[in-house]
Amino acid sequence: MDKAELGRTLRTRRQEAGRTIASVAVDAGLSVPYIANLENGRGNPTVAALQQLAAALGFRLEIGLRGEDEGAGEGAAEPEVPDAVRGLMASPRVRAVARRLAHDRRAHVSLVAERLQDALLALGAVTGRDVGERDLERLLDLLLLSGAGLEDQGRAES
């Protein structure tokens, strides 16, 4: 993928999510001019910056290396994340919970958001049905409650 195509993809994904560059910049921890330059096909983004952008937009960054004779559609790629799950992951509450969990665990927000998405997809696989907003809310509540319980337990033992 060249820089111009990457820029078009980033802009399209952001616009489809109904997001401004500023809101994505805040969630990704990047500057507005940096993202604007990327969307305009300029700049050389780092893998970390692309991971942060993907997470802020509710996507997972996938990087692969192929030989010239390998087809683009071949290989054991991970299944596509359904648009409904992407939409759920773009909610303000998911971003807030991901920031809190990342802070509490001293992890990067994009990694926490990716793991939240994986957990939601796994929940759908376990139940054998499409997951919805109520499922996501319950998952977030469970994570917050379990974290609070661990904090309370640690204080009680001190």
Side-chain angles (χ1 to χ4, degrees), residues 10 13-15 17 19 24 52-59 86 90:
L10 288 172
R13 300 286 185 167
R14 178 182 57 77
Q15 290 172 338
R19 305 278 306 277
V24 172
Q52 290 167 251
L53 282 168
L57 292 168
F59 294 93
R86 281 197 189 111

Side-chain angles (χ1 to χ4, degrees), residues 10-32:
L10 288 172
R11 176 175 284 126
T12 299
R13 300 286 185 167
R14 178 182 57 77
Q15 290 172 338
E16 287 173 350
R19 305 278 306 277
T20 64
I21 292 177
S23 73
V24 172
V26 168
D27 288 347
L30 301 169
S31 73
V32 170

